[in-house]
Amino acid sequence: MKIATWNVNSIRIRLEQVTEWLTHNAVDVLCLQETKVIDAEFPRSPFEEMGYHLYLSGQKSYNGVAIISRQPLLDVTSGFRAILQDLPPEWDEQKRVITGVIDGIRIVNLYVPNGAAVGTEKYEYKLRWLTVLREYLRLLLLSQPDMCVCGDFNIAPEAKDIHEQVSTENHIMATETERQALRDILALGFADAFRKFTSEGGNYSWWDYRAAAFRRNLGWRIDHHYLTPILYERAKSCIIDAAPRKLTQPSDHVPVIVEF
DNA sequence: ATGGCACGGCTTCCGTGA
């Protein structure tokens, strides 16, 4: 089974690139982030005509996640409150979480908040969001121990996941506080699929649109798949496909594909 | 130290992203 994650930065702008990519990359599941469209306006038919099922949790202008799957998914829910019922409703106003089960494997598709800058209210929200995510995943694991948690994490786990050894202490996506919050989640029993196969730095999934960052390979690895032990053992590959970043009018992120 | 580019929208600037 192949599961891909891709922050497309507007599915309507990227529609042709995504369907073209799917034609040449026959993944079983494609997890999208930043679809930036309400569900009623999501361009469903190109995917349905290719034989895929769609599961959507979108909103106007911002955020938005979707799972596109060759097989129907079971037990599909969106938002934290499907699992954490006591959470205040405002936690699901931003559409950042959708999950479903395929072949006994629970797939969780995430768009972690960016956090803006250290010291801002958005940064504090990101940290609170990650503590809620930990509890969400802890409960999901109780009913389904085989899980693939993927998406745009907006955190570079290690220095080698960033293009230059900038003083990252106060850089969003690289602070020790964010990295520790991620490690606290992974301590539930998840491992980074990409690092099973590749230990070198210089492998990135996002490049800033500005300053010719892609041409100069000034990137970050912030899009990840985290696997529970049995899936991690079974994993056969985890590949970043940088090719779509070379196209005209690309997303700033590229697809990452795990196979097990 | 700063800005740079791209997206959506009550669109011709602004909020947001990372």
Side-chain angles (χ1 to χ4, degrees):
Chain A
M1 183 186 306
K2 287 185 177 179
I3 301 175
T5 179
W6 193 359
N7 179 324
V8 291
N9 186 14
S10 171
I11 187 59
R12 288 179 290 189
I13 294 289
R14 229 66 65 195
L15 179 59
E16 282 190 30
Q17 291 186 19
V18 174
T19 54
E20 177 73 8
W21 186 85
L22 260 185
T23 302
H24 296 100
N25 297 269
V27 296
D28 299 280
V29 179
L30 174 58
C31 294
L32 302 179
Q33 304 88 36
E34 282 206 90
T35 53
K36 294 188 172 180
V37 65
I38 61 173
D39 296 348
E41 293 176 15
F42 193 101
R44 302 182 68 102
S45 44
F47 298 100
E48 289 171 342
E49 285 163 14
M50 296 171 71
Y52 283 95
H53 299 83
L54 287 87
Y55 304 91
L56 310 175
S57 181
Q59 67 183 90
K60 193 167 65 173
S61 305
Y62 305 115
N63 311 312
V65 285
I67 302 178
I68 296 174
S69 176
R70 186 71 74 180
Q71 294 178 43
L73 297 182
L74 302 174
D75 198 17
V76 175
T77 60
S78 58
F80 285 139
R81 294 176 75 248
I83 307 301
L84 303 172
Q85 276 120 18
D86 294 337
L87 216 53
E90 52 265 31
W91 277 96
D92 286 340
E93 286 173 5
Q94 298 181 24
K95 306 306 183 191
R96 298 178 176 277
V97 180
I98 189 166
T99 182
V101 173
I102 178 172
D103 287 351
I105 298 163
R106 176 165 290 285
I107 295 165
V108 179
N109 176 18
L110 301 175
Y111 176 44
V112 176
N114 162 275
V118 178
T120 63
E121 176 54 38
K122 288 195 171 98
Y123 179 72
E124 297 303 320
Y125 177 74
K126 180 180 193 176
L127 297 176
R128 288 200 305 277
W129 197 94
L130 290 167
T131 63
V132 172
L133 174 63
R134 186 182 187 282
E135 185 64 5
Y136 171 85
L137 294 175
R138 190 184 70 78
L139 291 183
L140 280 180
L141 279 168
L142 297 177
S143 55
Q144 180 45 268
D146 295 323
M147 286 180 59
C148 171
V149 181
C150 64
D152 176 0
F153 282 77
N154 272 320
I155 299 172
E158 300 179 88
K160 66 183 177 184
D161 297 312
I162 308 174
H163 61 86
E164 54 191 351
Q165 310 313 312
V166 289
S167 61
T168 57
E169 269 173 49
N170 275 319
H171 196 301
I172 195 66
M173 304 190 292
T175 65
E176 180 53 26
T177 307
E178 290 164 88
R179 288 172 170 169
Q180 186 59 50
L182 177 57
R183 288 194 296 266
D184 288 344
I185 291 166
L186 304 188
L188 293 169
F190 296 100
D192 185 341
F194 186 78
R195 289 299 179 209
K196 176 175 177 178
F197 305 99
T198 308
S199 57
E200 296 80 14
N203 295 284
Y204 309 127
S205 64
W206 172 82
W207 297 260
D208 200 310
Y209 283 122
R210 298 166 293 187
F214 181 67
R215 182 176 57 73
R216 298 157 64 199
N217 198 25
L218 304 180
W220 295 55
R221 192 177 71 89
I222 55 177
D223 301 272
H224 313 140
H225 297 81
Y226 292 106
L227 305 178
T228 47
I230 291 171
L231 290 181
Y232 186 82
E233 273 305 306
R234 280 173 49 195
K236 289 192 282 191
S237 67
C238 186
I239 298 295
I240 300 172
D241 182 5
R245 192 66 175 79
K246 301 172 185 168
L247 299 172
T248 304
Q249 202 177 20
S251 171
D252 43 355
H253 298 250
V254 295
V256 187
I257 309 98
V258 69
E259 181 174 12
F260 46 71

